[in-house]
Structure formats: C-alpha cells, structure tokens
Amino acid sequence: MALPRPSFRVWLFLLLVALGGVLVLLDSRSAREPGAVPRDAAGEPDFYLEGARLTRFDGEGRAHQRLETPRLVHTPHDDVTRLEAPDARLYDRAGRVWLAEAESGVLGPGGNPLTLTGSARLHAPEERWRLDTEVLHYDAERGHAWSDTAALLRQPPQRMSGERFDAWLHDNQARLTDNVRGYHPPETREDSPP
C-alpha cells in the first residue's frame, strides 16, 4: 500500500522550516563577540561599552553634551572614562551645536572635563570656523573649551595660529594668544556685500 503524496501546503511548510533553520545557523555564526577586556596602567575597568552613545544633561535637564564612541572604558579607582575616537556634540545655552572629535578622549571624575587628544578638532558650523590642535579640553559646566598646545583656527579664506586657544561657547567668544600669526586675504569685489 502506497502512502498518499504530501500536499503543496505540507511541502511549503517543510521548506519554510528548513529556511528558518538555515537563517538561525547563519545568524548565530555572525554574532559579534565582544573584544577583550581592556587592561592598562589605569587598572581594571568596572565596565566598558562598545558602540556607545552618551547624552549628558545639565542642571536644568537640557542635553548639553552628546558623545559617540566605538569603545568606552570606565575605571572605578579614578572615576575616569576613556573614549576611543570620540565624536562629540556640544550644546551652548543658546542651543547652537559645536562639534568636536579626536583620536581618543577622557571624561574626568564626575564626567567633567572632557579632554580630547590626538588631532583634536572643534567646529563651529554656524560661524564656519574650525580649530585644529593636539589636545582640547572642554568644561561642560562653564561652556569653556581651551587648548594649551599649538592651535590653527580656520574660517575660509582666513586662518590664524597661536600657542593657546580659548572659547566660551555660551558667550560665543574665542581667543588665540601667544605668537599669533594669521593670513587674511583682502576682500575682493566678489566677496563684498551688494
């Protein structure tokens, strides 16, 4: 006696079950394993995050700092957070956005100040200027960004350099000091307002 031939629905069900099994196997193989627990002279961390996005708020509950980093490591003995390749958005009291980035960064005890190291940049998109320096500090409570290393400030077509840079984001003020040099091309008719 022959068994009845399975219906189209049975074959479709078996095909879907097999496809689901293959997808589960592929997904489990591509699961990203976390990296090694970072260890360095700063000690063993109490936590680390990969692909982290942080938003810090001021005393009134407004976002004043957003950070994105591929890896964040916090060490409890010094209450310091180390960041790899941080990308920061800093907000002043008027709601303007300032952009900062570097090769590495450190959030001090209690999350302040933020220190960016290695090709550090600070952008002021509304004013169209950009600062390049090696080490940039930012005190979020006072809205003060500064660098004690050589700094190059550009606002095309102008550029200026100095040994120290200070910016007060809330007041929309910036200052270069010590051995300041600049290039300021003359205004042309095309550049002048009508």
Side-chain angles (χ1 to χ4, degrees):
M1 179 175 205
L3 292 173
R5 185 173 172 196
S7 70
F8 174 74
R9 289 183 181 180
V10 171
W11 282 111
L12 184 60
F13 175 74
L14 291 174
L15 180 64
L16 288 175
V17 168
L19 182 61
V22 169
L23 289 175
V24 166
L25 278 174
L26 290 175
D27 187 48
S28 67
R29 285 186 175 181
S30 65
R32 189 171 158 225
E33 295 293 322
V37 174
R39 298 176 194 275
D40 60 20
E44 187 168 329
D46 57 346
F47 68 88
Y48 70 96
L49 301 172
E50 294 183 349
R53 288 183 174 177
L54 288 88
T55 301
R56 301 189 64 233
F57 298 90
D58 63 14
E60 285 90 47
R62 293 181 305 234
H64 69 88
Q65 194 176 68
R66 294 183 195 265
L67 296 167
E68 288 188 30
T69 178
R71 187 172 212 161
L72 167 151
V73 179
H74 180 266
T75 49
H77 78 280
D78 56 4
D79 191 24
V80 169
T81 305
R82 289 161 183 80
L83 312 162
E84 288 181 9
D87 187 7
R89 290 181 177 274
L90 313 172
Y91 298 90
D92 65 19
R93 289 188 186 125
R96 290 182 301 248
V97 178
W98 305 69
L99 308 173
E101 60 191 34
E103 293 170 7
S104 63
V106 173
L107 277 170
N112 201 39
L114 169 64
T115 301
L116 301 173
T117 307
S119 300
R121 289 188 173 158
L122 178 65
H123 306 264
E126 287 187 19
E127 288 79 15
R128 295 182 20 241
W129 62 258
R130 182 180 94 190
L131 173 81
D132 293 290
T133 188
E134 195 55 34
V135 179
L136 180 69
H137 307 276
Y138 178 65
D139 181 337
E141 293 171 9
R142 298 181 336 179
H144 181 214
W146 74 95
S147 175
D148 295 322
T149 58
L152 175 63
L153 182 65
R154 298 177 194 176
Q155 186 178 31
Q158 303 174 62
R159 66 181 178 274
M160 296 182 293
S161 62
E163 300 300 318
R164 180 175 168 80
F165 172 81
D166 287 279
W168 294 269
L169 277 54
H170 300 311
D171 300 326
N172 200 24
Q173 294 180 9
R175 176 178 67 198
L176 271 173
T177 54
D178 300 334
N179 197 24
V180 176
R181 298 172 188 254
Y183 171 73
H184 306 278
E187 188 176 342
T188 63
R189 288 188 175 266
E190 294 173 6
D191 296 340
S192 60

